Amino acid sequence: MLVVAMMLYAMTMGFAGAAQGPTNAALGKHIGVMQAALVSFTGGFLAAVLINIVLYLVRGYSGVMGALECQPWELMGGPLGAFVVFSFAYATPRLGAALTITLEIMSQMVFSFVIDGLGLMGVEKVAAEPLRVLGCVLLLAGVMLVYRGRMVQARKEGNVAVQKKPAGAVLIMLAAGAAAAVQLPINVALRSHTGLMEAIVVHFGIGALVLLVLVLATNKGRLPSLKGIPLWMDTGGLYGVYGVTSLIITMPVLGTGLNTAANQLGQLIGGVAVDAFGFFRTPKSPINSWRIAGIVVLLAGIVAIALPQI
């Protein structure tokens, strides 16, 4: 029963992730993709600091300084998360929400499968059962079908940009999926030194610092102006705080693979809704037969990976 409850909780993080990508992508159209990622991470950092101040007033202590005891690799969750946020903001306008999320799902699930199978970064080793292998194969097939559906729709719409320039966005999302898979056990390890919400502060603080350096270096020392930007475009960091918090909570119960499966199921449902209804000012992209087939195959893959652990 606990596993099912945690899976449902992890799914809600997927919904938040499906909203975060288009939100940051919309902001990126105004101020640039890297700058949008900086705004998102800075907002997440400020929200996490505020939550920690409240907790400190209630509990009378904070574990933030425990980060000084971490090994260097245990502090890499923030930079990896920053790359994931940047990737979504970059790829969503080029590929659409559903295909962007689908690519990240496939890559993250495969790398989570490897982490579980080898017991990397302190994760409990999980045997490579036939159903889990089948699930990874189905994920790859589902991605190809959704990708095919996106290209068919782009030709109907006359969207030359999607037809001619998807390769870079595809590759960056595959890399983002790998980064997301590695980020999860890293943040769980960080939590063991600091505590839950303190780990969120460290995660977003380091990620925001890395992005700040990159923005200043590539933008001639100038920071983006948010004057005249709708407030909802600045809320990507709030989705991120909720998402990272829920993943750290559910990880010890579900493990990397099952946690990712539940998370990505919610994200896939959210991404399809964003595309179909044009939420967050994304162009509407009707669901054709190729994409329906891909989604069905993806769901089958996620279920196959989840079944051995339920």
Side-chain angles (χ1 to χ4, degrees):
M1 193 65 182
L2 177 61
V3 170
V4 174
M6 285 296 177
M7 284 185 68
L8 292 174
Y9 182 29
M11 280 182 65
T12 66
M13 183 275 159
F15 299 144
Q20 184 184 29
T23 299
N24 289 334
L27 179 60
K29 291 179 181 179
H30 290 272
I31 63 175
V33 177
M34 185 74 72
Q35 291 87 335
L38 172 61
V39 171
S40 178
F41 251 74
T42 301
F45 172 68
L46 294 175
V49 168
L50 180 60
I51 294 171
N52 270 271
I53 290 174
V54 173
L55 291 176
Y56 178 78
L57 294 175
V58 172
R59 301 179 307 189
Y61 70 90
S62 173
V64 170
M65 298 305 294
L68 298 176
E69 304 172 358
C70 293
Q71 299 180 43
W73 69 269
E74 294 174 313
L75 300 174
M76 289 302 296
L80 289 172
F83 174 69
V84 173
V85 169
F86 168 84
S87 300
F88 270 98
Y90 175 84
T92 299
R94 292 165 173 80
L95 301 175
L99 180 55
T100 299
I101 290 171
T102 300
L103 289 165
E104 196 258 354
I105 285 176
M106 188 271 290
S107 180
Q108 186 175 354
M109 288 300 302
V110 169
F111 276 88
S112 296
F113 178 78
V114 172
I115 290 171
D116 274 354
L118 299 178
L120 302 177
M121 291 174 285
V123 173
E124 185 178 349
K125 191 172 183 179
V126 179
E129 300 184 19
L131 270 177
R132 290 167 65 87
V133 176
L134 173 62
C136 287
V137 173
L138 290 172
L139 286 176
L140 179 58
V143 167
M144 297 306 295
L145 289 169
V146 173
Y147 180 84
R148 172 66 175 170
R150 178 59 173 162
M151 293 304 106
V152 168
Q153 189 62 37
R155 282 196 291 272
K156 288 182 179 179
E157 297 169 350
N159 192 333
V160 178
V162 171
Q163 294 180 61
K164 290 187 175 180
K165 299 180 180 178
V170 168
L171 291 175
I172 200 171
M173 285 316 303
L174 292 176
V182 175
Q183 171 192 323
L184 178 52
I186 286 177
N187 282 334
V188 172
L190 173 61
R191 178 192 181 182
S192 67
H193 295 280
T194 62
L196 174 59
M197 290 312 303
E198 292 90 343
I200 305 301
V201 169
V202 175
H203 170 88
F204 279 93
I206 295 176
L209 181 60
V210 169
L211 286 167
L212 176 62
V213 172
L214 290 174
V215 167
L216 291 175
T218 58
N219 204 35
K220 299 180 180 180
R222 295 192 301 269
L223 290 174
S225 171
L226 299 178
K227 185 177 181 180
I229 303 294
L231 183 60
W232 68 268
M233 292 186 185
D234 301 327
T235 60
L238 302 182
Y239 296 122
V241 168
Y242 178 80
V244 175
T245 303
S246 65
L247 284 174
I248 293 177
I249 291 174
T250 55
M251 168 73 175
V253 177
L254 301 179
T256 307
L258 186 52
N259 189 307
T260 302
N263 174 316
Q264 299 296 16
L265 179 57
Q267 200 167 352
L268 176 61
I269 294 170
V272 170
V274 168
D275 266 359
F277 297 101
F279 294 141
F280 307 103
R281 296 188 183 176
T282 58
K284 287 186 179 181
S285 184
I287 304 175
N288 56 30
S289 58
W290 288 98
R291 300 177 85 182
I292 292 174
I295 292 168
V296 170
V297 174
L298 276 164
L299 290 175
I302 291 171
V303 170
I305 290 173
L307 276 177
Q309 208 168 329
I310 296 178

